[in-house]
Amino acid sequence: MGKTLFEKLWDLHVVCEDDDGTCLLFIDRIYLHDLCGAFSFQMLNKNGYSVRRPEAVIASPDHTLSSKCGRAGEDSPECRSILPRLRRGCKKYGVTLFDINDDRQGIIHIIGPEQGFSLPGMTILCGDSHTCTHGAVGALALGVGTSEVYHALATSCLWVRKPKTMRIWIGGTRDDGVEPMDIILHLIAEQGISRGIGYAVEYCGPVVEQMTMDERFTLCNLTIEMGAEYGVIAPDDTTIAYFRDKPNAPKGKMLEALIAHCKEIRSDPDCKYDAEISEDITGLTRQITWGINPGQTVSVFGGVPSVPAGADENEKTLFEKAYGYMGYGPGMRMQDLSIQRVFIGSCSNGRLSYLVKSAALVKGKHVAGGVEALIVPGSMAVKRAAEAQGLDDIFTEAGFQWGEPGCSLCAGSNGERVAAGQHCVSTTNRNFIGRQGRDARTHLASPVTAAMAAISGKIQ
Amino acid sequence: MSKIALIRGNVLDKLGDHIDTDVMTPGKYLTSYEPAYLGSICLIDLDPGFRERMKPGGILLAGVNFGCGSSRETAPIALKAAGVQLIIAKEFARIFYRNALNIGLPCITSEEAAAVCEIGDDLEVDLESGLIVNHTKNGSFHGDGIPQELLAQFEAGGLFPYLKARLRQKREK
């Protein structure tokens, strides 16, 4: 029997295997952001270990940085506490740091692929659950906690239980304005936020094949919101065209070897998955979350759903908790809701092509009265490229704030928050209680939906 | 198995489905790794009464997908510092499960026990076999015990000593 793409990536990295199937995996790349970096360095210091392969590690602050233009680097108390520790650790252990004024700085899940560190066939580890993003290049990318980051820094290895495999085939016709964010939110709503627990997901099918790399990153990024730790896409010509000119991609014969390798790391025709899902997106409309998890999603033309007939006590509680937190009840149309905040950015949707699309929608228009709109490029490279096209002017003339690269309003770790009671249309990946600030009401959506909401003050 | 494989305590709180790690330790508190501080803000927005109800040695019951979302290790650290000795849930999110074990907070999956047991029940749990005895209600439940290698890792004192011990064994084979 053949192997799946994921199994091939796994087998290529097994150092040894326990009797129960737990494997010690070799880790090719380790990425550190400010929070996981500062604390994993602290563990190394405390226990007296060093970084085994510093050349395999990169660090970039993103969580605690201010997104205000002209930031000095340590504008928030959060950043003042964390950034110096990241810097000290990188210096002590010889880790490359893309610091605050570096042209390569950005959200770690944006800069990994952008700088050519994330390549097909690799294992990639980071102390962040959205590490699954890097699977879009055909890599085995896993988000872990700080203890495991520390372990991997010191040993270049990690004990991992092999997950089951799930194939998600996406086909049909993708209508204009329908973004990967809409597709993945719809999938999560349909399958549920715990459907993927214990699985590695492989996305395939004509809709995926036609996606740009920016779009594939969005798809893989939200895999964890379905409960699955890994999301992978087989590398193809789109992938190769994307990475071949990146600064840290191999050159010459090594590049040719990697391209040849790409043809091998794909699922065999006779492989078997533990679960298979087929999704036809013909007729799919733009989506938005109404509640307190990414699975509580409806069409932008839909309304807040009622508790489903036959729901058990726990399910009922979840709906009621969402109604209470969001401040409305079932039946309310999403289009009738007034919004106060818009955020475009994050490791889900902070890439250049999304800024281009958003700019086209807001050009010559103005943000609605009573709405505060912020747009934060995912990396310094994205920011520079956007500015070279004049996108920053389009946004600021339309009344948006143009920010500096980082996680910004997504993670709530940089002191910037959505005020209590405000509704924020956000291109991020989590609408959990308190995620964007205490009693902040988040509506996850695509950059297209967010840009339209900024202009109209409504969900359209 | 040795002494830590048996745990006894009272259920002091019961949470629902899909409790994410953001509500356990919200983003604005992530610049600390200090257990006492993290324990003091644990579940602060979702359930301000949690820290009142939870006491050292308490057992926490939860529903499905417990610990979903962010990979922040502060979440299990906060629960442990708030007093939680053991979590029994219908289902755990994978990253949370590994993080909890790595910081020394055992987790047992048992759909039945998590549904049936109530606050105040006196439970005795065998971490290895997953057997849960409810002394208050005179019943017992089967849960998924902690996998051998994780328990061994737990007993070896964490990830690192375990890796060393295993590699030594492999060489000797």
Side-chain angles (χ1 to χ4, degrees), chain A residues 125-142:
Chain A
L125 202 81
C126 176
D128 192 286
S129 59
H130 292 109
T131 309
C132 48
T133 312
H134 306 268
V137 301
L140 186 160
L142 175 63

Side-chain angles (χ1 to χ4, degrees), chain A residues 23-296:
Chain A
C23 292
L24 189 66
L25 287 190
F26 185 80
I27 306 300
D28 294 311
R29 292 275 189 267
I30 302 169
Y31 298 155
L32 304 175
H33 59 69
D34 34 0
L35 291 172
C36 79
F39 294 117
S40 53
F41 285 144
Q42 187 175 309
M43 291 178 186
L44 286 171
N45 291 341
K46 188 178 157 208
N47 297 301
Y49 290 99
S50 59
V51 175
R52 188 170 178 86
R53 294 168 60 238
E55 69 278 12
V57 188
I58 56 164
S60 177
D62 55 17
H63 277 65
T64 65
L65 298 189
S66 161
S67 44
K68 297 257 171 5
C69 269
R71 68 185 177 196
E74 293 164 39
D75 305 283
S76 64
E78 289 85 351
C79 198
R80 266 197 296 283
S81 139
I82 289 295
L83 192 54
R85 290 146 88 173
L86 180 72
R87 286 178 179 145
R88 277 199 301 275
C90 286
K91 199 169 170 202
K92 178 172 177 185
Y93 296 108
V95 169
T96 303
L97 170 67
F98 302 139
D99 209 339
I100 196 149
N101 291 317
D102 194 299
D103 270 343
R104 297 161 295 178
Q105 181 267 332
I107 303 173
I108 201 82
H109 305 313
I110 303 242
I111 65 170
E114 186 180 81
Q115 294 297 326
F117 289 108
S118 303
L119 294 168
M122 282 183 168
T123 45
I124 298 168
L125 202 81
C126 176
D128 192 286
S129 59
H130 292 109
T131 309
C132 48
T133 312
H134 306 268
V137 301
L140 186 160
L142 175 63
V144 298
T146 312
S147 294
E148 293 186 342
V149 173
Y150 148 65
H151 183 280
L153 283 172
T155 63
S156 282
C157 292
L158 190 70
W159 288 108
V160 195
R161 296 206 118 198
K162 194 172 180 177
K164 293 178 282 185
T165 54
M166 179 189 287
R167 175 181 185 259
I168 299 185
W169 179 94
I170 307 172
T173 312
R174 185 175 142 187
D175 289 343
D176 278 353
V178 172
E179 296 295 314
M181 187 68 172
D182 301 305
I183 297 171
I184 189 71
L185 282 175
H186 173 67
L187 262 167
I188 298 167
E190 217 176 52
Q191 300 297 324
I193 59 171
S194 53
R195 175 70 179 91
I197 289 185
Y199 286 95
V201 171
E202 179 183 344
Y203 298 98
C204 61
V207 170
V208 179
E209 285 160 24
Q210 283 155 25
M211 281 184 182
T212 64
M213 286 310 293
D214 280 7
E215 294 180 325
R216 294 179 189 185
F217 289 125
T218 306
L219 201 58
C220 287
N221 177 272
L222 280 103
T223 307
I224 186 68
E225 311 313 331
M226 212 187 303
E229 294 161 271
Y230 312 85
V232 292
I233 296 174
D236 59 8
D237 290 343
T238 305
T239 322
I240 294 166
Y242 173 85
F243 73 70
R244 65 180 308 148
D245 299 323
K246 296 285 182 267
N248 293 282
K251 310 273 183 289
K253 283 200 171 128
M254 289 295 283
L255 177 64
E256 294 315 312
L258 179 58
I259 290 170
H261 185 48
C262 284
K263 313 259 186 268
E264 291 161 21
I265 42 174
R266 55 184 55 252
S267 293
D268 294 326
D270 58 340
C271 72
K272 201 176 170 319
Y273 297 87
D274 298 302
E276 297 199 33
I277 291 166
S278 289
E279 183 68 40
D280 185 335
I281 60 157
T282 306
L284 180 72
T285 50
R286 286 180 296 106
Q287 306 283 302
I288 193 154
T289 63
W290 63 269
I292 52 170
N293 72 52
Q296 291 181 322

Side-chain angles (χ1 to χ4, degrees), chain B residues 6 11 14 59 61 86 88-90 108-118 121-145:
Chain B
L6 268 187
V11 175
K14 191 168 180 173
I59 292 174
L61 300 181
L86 167 73
I88 301 172
K90 291 179 184 171
I108 296 286
T109 309
S110 171
E111 205 173 327
E112 208 189 348
V116 173
C117 296
E118 287 167 299
D121 287 1
D122 170 17
L123 306 184
E124 191 169 354
V125 182
D126 183 329
L127 297 184
E128 192 191 1
S129 67
L131 181 72
I132 300 161
V133 178
N134 187 329
H135 289 293
T136 307
K137 296 201 167 67
N138 291 323
S140 67
F141 310 94
H142 289 284
D144 293 339

Side-chain angles (χ1 to χ4, degrees), chain B residues 49-87:
Chain B
F50 172 76
R51 287 153 297 143
E52 281 294 308
R53 292 191 296 277
M54 190 48 64
K55 301 274 182 276
I59 292 174
L60 177 63
L61 300 181
V64 299
N65 201 18
F66 187 74
C68 60
S70 163
S71 62
R72 59 193 67 176
E73 207 166 271
T74 50
I77 292 173
L79 290 169
K80 193 181 177 198
V84 178
Q85 178 187 200
L86 167 73
I87 307 170

